Amino acid sequence: GVAEDLWRSYRTAFRRSTVLKTDDYATAVWLRQAELKARALPCQPFDRAALTALLPSLRALTLEDPATWPGRITQLCAQAGVAVVFLPAPPLTSVSGVTRWLTPDKVGIALSDRFKKDDHFWFTVFHEIGHTLLHGKRLTFLDNTDRADERTPEGDRSEEEADAFAAQTLIPPERNAAYRRLARRPMPFDNIKAFARQAGIAPGIVVGRLQHDGALPWTHGNNLKRPVRFPHNGPAEDQPQ
């Protein structure tokens, strides 16, 4: 009963798997854990302009050591009023990220380690930031990278818009011509590495985009992707605000 009451308390725009079996109770537990961690995280008041200005710095982190990502992402986003937390997803949740306004001046973003590779991870980071910048404060956006199911409100283009925001942040429009040339001939892998250097992003992210666009088989280039491992986080000592 408690779980059902909690689940109903979330006004959520779903993007959930139609293939994988999911458990709403497990998802509710993950959401509650994420909310408590985000509420406990100190942040400046939300500042849209400051968050937008952070995008190049966040994008540049894709080239850094993955071990530094959680701390740096949390530190940078807190300056703009966004509490980013990292929480492994329990089984049967099939969730990659969630965005929820905690107060009028504070956004909570939680990221899971569902796919454990840098291409999926960074796409989710910018997808959730896209929700924050593009969409209203009324809904929670609970996302994965599978296709939407029937619970996504008809005519709601918020997921497509967040996807486009993430894609354009990682590979900006001024790189589109070069990307199209790469997509026509992604092999050998030196082509991918050269494009990634010129674009200023990790090559694994380029591999993921090429795979998504059908220009590269899903079996090719995965050695260029880097693993993502979240640090162990115990319960927050501070009480949620």
Side-chain angles (χ1 to χ4, degrees):
V2 171
E4 289 175 357
D5 288 344
L6 175 62
W7 188 243
R8 285 192 293 266
S9 75
Y10 290 102
R11 298 184 60 193
T12 306
F14 284 100
R15 191 163 72 112
R16 298 286 299 280
S17 172
T18 58
V19 178
L20 300 176
K21 177 179 173 58
T22 59
D23 185 322
D24 284 352
Y25 293 149
T27 304
V29 168
W30 186 84
L31 281 167
R32 183 59 173 163
Q33 288 179 306
E35 180 182 4
L36 291 175
K37 288 186 67 175
R39 286 187 182 277
L41 191 67
C43 286
Q44 296 296 317
F46 178 72
D47 186 327
R48 180 181 301 275
L51 181 59
T52 301
L54 283 175
L55 294 176
S57 297
L58 291 168
R59 187 176 179 275
L61 285 179
T62 69
L63 297 171
E64 302 298 329
D65 183 344
T68 69
W69 293 347
R72 290 291 292 141
I73 292 170
T74 297
Q75 180 186 44
L76 288 171
C77 290
Q79 299 170 12
V82 181
V84 181
V85 299
F86 302 86
L87 192 67
L92 302 182
T93 55
S94 68
V95 60
S96 295
V98 64
T99 300
R100 191 184 197 203
W101 284 83
L102 304 172
T103 74
D105 292 319
K106 186 177 185 180
V107 185
I109 290 178
L111 302 168
S112 83
D113 58 350
R114 182 180 172 205
F115 287 100
K116 304 187 190 315
K117 295 295 183 181
D118 60 348
D119 59 326
H120 288 284
F121 173 79
W122 281 106
F123 191 89
T124 301
V125 169
F126 290 114
H127 179 100
E128 303 305 333
I129 291 175
H131 279 314
T132 301
L133 292 173
L134 299 175
H135 304 128
K137 300 182 179 182
R138 295 178 297 107
L139 293 176
T140 299
F141 293 94
L142 177 65
D143 299 305
N144 64 29
T145 53
D146 298 310
R147 61 181 185 231
D149 73 4
E150 67 276 7
R151 287 182 288 185
T152 301
E154 184 177 356
D156 185 345
R157 300 190 65 250
S158 57
E159 294 302 328
E160 296 173 24
E161 292 166 354
D163 279 349
F165 179 89
Q168 292 170 13
T169 301
L170 289 167
I171 300 181
E174 60 267 25
R175 295 287 175 183
N176 283 349
Y179 175 77
R180 287 193 294 269
R181 290 193 296 271
L182 174 67
R184 289 194 293 268
R185 189 183 175 187
M187 303 289 286
F189 292 140
D190 283 347
N191 293 350
I192 295 174
K193 294 176 182 178
F195 175 86
R197 281 195 303 271
Q198 293 163 4
I201 56 174
I205 294 172
V206 181
V207 169
R209 174 69 175 271
L210 290 166
Q211 291 172 336
H212 176 270
D213 292 344
L216 193 68
W218 291 102
T219 55
H220 287 50
N222 293 317
N223 62 321
L224 295 179
K225 299 180 183 181
R226 291 188 290 174
V228 176
R229 296 183 180 91
F230 291 169
H232 173 73
N233 290 306
E237 295 180 1
D238 296 333
Q239 294 298 317
Q241 301 300 312

